[in-house]
Amino acid sequence: MTESQKERSSRPRVAVVASQKGGEGKTLLATSIADLHYLHDEPIIAVQIDDQQRLARTIGQDVITVNTETVRASRTNPAASIQAFRPMMTALEQAASLRAMLLVDIGGTQVRPTSAFASLSELSGDMVEMGF
């Protein structure tokens, strides 16, 4: 492995599993990604933004849950979206400090508000600063 490859492999990573359509197997895919990391003893932090909250029941690990009721309420108050998505931002910071995979499972009804939050908060810039 070259030095460049080693550097890339030591960076924290993010996997987002999302689709606006329900029943597409998003949580199944997220579970598979989590399982692969657990099998290889690689650190992973999982976040679910989903009304059904199946990921936590499926992988049996601590999963950070973004409260979808708070997300819904933030649609009429954009400033409240920062607070609604604070658990995800905390998970992002943890993944960066641990050089871990951040796995985000987004349910169909939460794709648009999550995308709006990412734009509003300039999430991509924050992630670059954190080393993703």
Side-chain angles (χ1 to χ4, degrees):
M1 188 181 285
T2 68
E3 288 300 316
S4 178
Q5 289 171 323
K6 286 179 186 176
E7 181 185 331
R8 278 195 306 268
S9 69
S10 70
R11 289 183 187 164
R13 298 173 313 274
V14 177
V16 177
V17 182
S19 173
Q20 290 183 317
K21 187 173 182 323
E24 294 288 302
K26 294 178 293 292
T27 300
L28 177 62
L29 178 58
T31 300
S32 297
I33 292 168
D35 284 347
L36 284 171
H37 279 77
Y38 293 135
L39 287 172
H40 293 282
D41 201 30
E42 296 175 356
I44 186 166
I45 297 173
V47 176
Q48 63 184 358
I49 309 170
D50 192 351
D51 296 319
Q52 297 175 354
Q53 300 184 359
R54 289 187 182 144
L55 187 60
R57 291 183 299 225
T58 304
I59 65 174
Q61 294 285 4
D62 291 331
V63 174
I64 297 165
T65 301
V66 173
N67 184 320
T68 55
E69 289 301 319
T70 306
V71 171
R72 262 189 280 290
S74 73
R75 290 178 185 170
T76 58
N77 179 2
S81 71
I82 302 297
Q83 187 61 33
F85 284 97
R86 187 69 202 144
M88 186 178 74
M89 294 303 296
T90 300
L92 190 65
E93 291 163 358
Q94 288 174 333
S97 70
L98 296 172
R99 300 244 181 259
M101 162 69 79
L102 177 66
L103 174 62
V104 184
D105 181 23
I106 305 173
T109 62
Q110 301 304 316
V111 171
R112 282 190 180 173
T114 302
S115 179
F117 166 76
S119 296
L120 175 70
S121 66
E122 298 179 0
L123 184 59
S124 60
D126 290 344
M127 291 174 63
V128 168
E129 288 178 15
M130 289 181 200
F132 286 91

